[in-house]
Short mmCIF file of all heavy atoms in Angstrom, two decimals:
data_model
loop_
_atom_site.label_atom_id
_atom_site.label_comp_id
_atom_site.label_asym_id
_atom_site.label_seq_id
_atom_site.Cartn_x
_atom_site.Cartn_y
_atom_site.Cartn_z
N MET A 1440 3.02 8.33 39.84
CA MET A 1440 2.75 6.91 39.65
C MET A 1440 1.68 6.38 40.60
O MET A 1440 1.34 5.20 40.54
CB MET A 1440 4.04 6.11 39.84
CG MET A 1440 5.13 6.43 38.82
SD MET A 1440 4.57 6.25 37.10
CE MET A 1440 4.22 4.50 37.05
N ALA A 1441 1.14 7.24 41.46
CA ALA A 1441 0.09 6.79 42.37
C ALA A 1441 -1.12 6.29 41.58
O ALA A 1441 -1.43 6.80 40.51
CB ALA A 1441 -0.33 7.94 43.29
N LYS A 1442 -1.77 5.28 42.10
CA LYS A 1442 -2.92 4.68 41.40
C LYS A 1442 -4.01 5.71 41.21
O LYS A 1442 -4.39 6.42 42.13
CB LYS A 1442 -3.45 3.51 42.21
CG LYS A 1442 -4.78 2.99 41.74
CD LYS A 1442 -4.64 1.59 41.20
CE LYS A 1442 -6.01 1.01 40.85
NZ LYS A 1442 -6.30 1.09 39.44
N GLY A 1443 -4.51 5.80 39.99
CA GLY A 1443 -5.58 6.72 39.67
C GLY A 1443 -6.86 5.98 39.37
O GLY A 1443 -7.01 4.79 39.66
N ALA A 1444 -7.81 6.69 38.78
CA ALA A 1444 -9.10 6.09 38.47
C ALA A 1444 -9.00 5.05 37.35
O ALA A 1444 -9.82 4.14 37.27
CB ALA A 1444 -10.09 7.19 38.07
N LEU A 1445 -8.00 5.21 36.48
CA LEU A 1445 -7.75 4.25 35.39
C LEU A 1445 -6.40 3.58 35.60
O LEU A 1445 -5.43 4.23 36.01
CB LEU A 1445 -7.75 4.96 34.03
CG LEU A 1445 -9.09 5.41 33.46
CD1 LEU A 1445 -8.84 6.25 32.20
CD2 LEU A 1445 -9.97 4.21 33.12
N ASP A 1446 -6.33 2.30 35.31
CA ASP A 1446 -5.04 1.60 35.38
C ASP A 1446 -4.15 2.06 34.24
O ASP A 1446 -4.60 2.24 33.10
CB ASP A 1446 -5.25 0.09 35.27
CG ASP A 1446 -5.91 -0.49 36.50
OD1 ASP A 1446 -5.78 0.11 37.59
OD2 ASP A 1446 -6.58 -1.54 36.37
N ASP A 1447 -2.86 2.25 34.55
CA ASP A 1447 -1.91 2.57 33.50
C ASP A 1447 -1.64 1.34 32.65
O ASP A 1447 -1.59 0.21 33.16
CB ASP A 1447 -0.58 3.03 34.12
CG ASP A 1447 -0.63 4.46 34.64
OD1 ASP A 1447 -1.40 5.27 34.08
OD2 ASP A 1447 0.09 4.77 35.60
N ILE A 1448 -1.47 1.56 31.36
CA ILE A 1448 -1.03 0.50 30.45
C ILE A 1448 0.36 0.90 30.00
O ILE A 1448 0.53 1.83 29.22
CB ILE A 1448 -1.99 0.35 29.26
CG1 ILE A 1448 -3.40 0.02 29.76
CG2 ILE A 1448 -1.49 -0.74 28.29
CD1 ILE A 1448 -4.45 -0.05 28.67
N ALA A 1449 1.35 0.23 30.53
CA ALA A 1449 2.74 0.63 30.31
C ALA A 1449 3.39 -0.21 29.23
O ALA A 1449 3.00 -1.34 28.96
CB ALA A 1449 3.53 0.51 31.61
N MET A 1450 4.41 0.37 28.63
CA MET A 1450 5.21 -0.32 27.62
C MET A 1450 6.68 -0.20 28.02
O MET A 1450 7.14 0.87 28.41
CB MET A 1450 5.00 0.32 26.25
CG MET A 1450 5.75 -0.39 25.12
SD MET A 1450 5.74 0.57 23.58
CE MET A 1450 4.00 0.86 23.38
N GLY A 1451 7.40 -1.30 27.92
CA GLY A 1451 8.82 -1.27 28.26
C GLY A 1451 9.11 -1.97 29.57
O GLY A 1451 8.21 -2.40 30.30
N SER A 1452 10.39 -2.07 29.89
CA SER A 1452 10.84 -2.80 31.06
C SER A 1452 10.39 -2.15 32.36
O SER A 1452 10.46 -0.93 32.52
CB SER A 1452 12.37 -2.90 31.05
OG SER A 1452 12.86 -3.45 32.27
N GLU A 1453 9.95 -2.99 33.31
CA GLU A 1453 9.57 -2.48 34.62
C GLU A 1453 10.77 -1.95 35.39
O GLU A 1453 10.62 -1.17 36.33
CB GLU A 1453 8.89 -3.59 35.44
CG GLU A 1453 7.53 -4.02 34.89
CD GLU A 1453 6.85 -5.05 35.75
OE1 GLU A 1453 7.41 -5.36 36.85
OE2 GLU A 1453 5.78 -5.54 35.37
N THR A 1454 11.97 -2.37 35.00
CA THR A 1454 13.19 -1.93 35.69
C THR A 1454 13.92 -0.83 34.92
O THR A 1454 15.06 -0.50 35.24
CB THR A 1454 14.14 -3.13 35.91
OG1 THR A 1454 14.48 -3.70 34.63
CG2 THR A 1454 13.47 -4.20 36.76
N ALA A 1455 13.29 -0.27 33.91
CA ALA A 1455 13.92 0.81 33.14
C ALA A 1455 14.27 1.97 34.06
O ALA A 1455 13.48 2.34 34.94
CB ALA A 1455 13.00 1.27 32.02
N PRO A 1456 15.44 2.59 33.88
CA PRO A 1456 15.85 3.71 34.75
C PRO A 1456 15.07 4.99 34.50
O PRO A 1456 15.08 5.90 35.33
CB PRO A 1456 17.32 3.89 34.42
CG PRO A 1456 17.49 3.33 33.04
CD PRO A 1456 16.51 2.20 32.94
N VAL A 1457 14.39 5.08 33.35
CA VAL A 1457 13.65 6.29 33.00
C VAL A 1457 12.20 5.92 32.71
O VAL A 1457 11.93 4.96 31.99
CB VAL A 1457 14.27 7.00 31.78
CG1 VAL A 1457 13.44 8.23 31.39
CG2 VAL A 1457 15.72 7.40 32.05
N THR A 1458 11.29 6.68 33.28
CA THR A 1458 9.86 6.52 33.00
C THR A 1458 9.35 7.79 32.34
O THR A 1458 9.56 8.89 32.85
CB THR A 1458 9.06 6.25 34.28
OG1 THR A 1458 9.49 5.02 34.85
CG2 THR A 1458 7.57 6.16 33.97
N ILE A 1459 8.70 7.63 31.20
CA ILE A 1459 8.09 8.76 30.49
C ILE A 1459 6.58 8.58 30.52
O ILE A 1459 6.06 7.53 30.15
CB ILE A 1459 8.58 8.85 29.04
CG1 ILE A 1459 10.08 9.15 29.00
CG2 ILE A 1459 7.80 9.93 28.27
CD1 ILE A 1459 10.67 9.16 27.60
N ILE A 1460 5.88 9.61 30.98
CA ILE A 1460 4.42 9.63 30.98
C ILE A 1460 3.98 10.71 30.01
O ILE A 1460 4.43 11.86 30.11
CB ILE A 1460 3.87 9.91 32.38
CG1 ILE A 1460 4.27 8.78 33.34
CG2 ILE A 1460 2.34 10.05 32.33
CD1 ILE A 1460 3.91 9.04 34.78
N GLU A 1461 3.13 10.34 29.07
CA GLU A 1461 2.60 11.30 28.11
C GLU A 1461 1.11 11.51 28.36
O GLU A 1461 0.35 10.56 28.44
CB GLU A 1461 2.80 10.82 26.67
CG GLU A 1461 2.21 11.79 25.65
CD GLU A 1461 2.11 11.23 24.24
OE1 GLU A 1461 2.33 10.01 24.06
OE2 GLU A 1461 1.80 12.01 23.32
N TYR A 1462 0.70 12.77 28.47
CA TYR A 1462 -0.70 13.13 28.47
C TYR A 1462 -1.03 13.67 27.09
O TYR A 1462 -0.40 14.61 26.62
CB TYR A 1462 -0.99 14.19 29.54
CG TYR A 1462 -1.01 13.64 30.95
CD1 TYR A 1462 0.14 13.65 31.73
CD2 TYR A 1462 -2.17 13.09 31.48
CE1 TYR A 1462 0.13 13.14 33.03
CE2 TYR A 1462 -2.18 12.57 32.76
CZ TYR A 1462 -1.03 12.60 33.54
OH TYR A 1462 -1.04 12.08 34.81
N ALA A 1463 -2.02 13.06 26.43
CA ALA A 1463 -2.33 13.43 25.05
C ALA A 1463 -3.81 13.32 24.78
O ALA A 1463 -4.54 12.57 25.43
CB ALA A 1463 -1.55 12.53 24.08
N SER A 1464 -4.24 14.10 23.79
CA SER A 1464 -5.62 14.05 23.30
C SER A 1464 -5.60 13.46 21.90
O SER A 1464 -4.79 13.86 21.06
CB SER A 1464 -6.21 15.46 23.27
OG SER A 1464 -7.49 15.46 22.69
N MET A 1465 -6.50 12.52 21.64
CA MET A 1465 -6.47 11.81 20.37
C MET A 1465 -6.78 12.71 19.17
O MET A 1465 -6.44 12.38 18.04
CB MET A 1465 -7.45 10.63 20.39
CG MET A 1465 -7.10 9.55 21.40
SD MET A 1465 -5.38 8.97 21.30
CE MET A 1465 -5.32 8.42 19.61
N THR A 1466 -7.44 13.86 19.39
CA THR A 1466 -7.72 14.77 18.28
C THR A 1466 -6.69 15.89 18.17
O THR A 1466 -6.83 16.78 17.33
CB THR A 1466 -9.12 15.40 18.44
OG1 THR A 1466 -9.23 15.99 19.75
CG2 THR A 1466 -10.22 14.37 18.24
N CYS A 1467 -5.67 15.86 18.99
CA CYS A 1467 -4.65 16.91 18.99
C CYS A 1467 -3.66 16.70 17.85
O CYS A 1467 -2.96 15.69 17.81
CB CYS A 1467 -3.92 16.89 20.33
SG CYS A 1467 -2.36 17.78 20.37
N PRO A 1468 -3.56 17.63 16.89
CA PRO A 1468 -2.62 17.48 15.77
C PRO A 1468 -1.16 17.42 16.23
O PRO A 1468 -0.35 16.72 15.63
CB PRO A 1468 -2.87 18.72 14.91
CG PRO A 1468 -4.24 19.18 15.29
CD PRO A 1468 -4.40 18.85 16.73
N HIS A 1469 -0.83 18.16 17.30
CA HIS A 1469 0.55 18.16 17.78
C HIS A 1469 0.91 16.81 18.41
O HIS A 1469 2.05 16.36 18.31
CB HIS A 1469 0.76 19.28 18.79
CG HIS A 1469 0.33 20.63 18.27
ND1 HIS A 1469 0.61 21.04 16.99
CD2 HIS A 1469 -0.38 21.63 18.85
CE1 HIS A 1469 0.09 22.26 16.81
NE2 HIS A 1469 -0.52 22.63 17.92
N CYS A 1470 -0.09 16.17 19.04
CA CYS A 1470 0.13 14.83 19.59
C CYS A 1470 0.36 13.84 18.45
O CYS A 1470 1.24 12.98 18.51
CB CYS A 1470 -1.07 14.39 20.42
SG CYS A 1470 -1.43 15.47 21.82
#
């Protein structure tokens, strides 16, 4: 969760007990 070169755009409650981060490529069929 450390700040990177791009700001995260998050969805869901800031107090949610679980955080899911997905790394994906827009041309990836499996994504």
Side-chain angles (χ1 to χ4, degrees):
M1440 297 305 296
K1442 169 115 175 99
L1445 286 173
D1446 290 334
D1447 284 330
I1448 301 176
M1450 183 191 307
S1452 172
E1453 293 183 5
T1454 60
V1457 177
T1458 297
I1459 295 176
I1460 297 173
E1461 178 192 9
Y1462 285 93
S1464 174
M1465 296 309 302
T1466 53
C1467 164
H1469 307 318
C1470 300

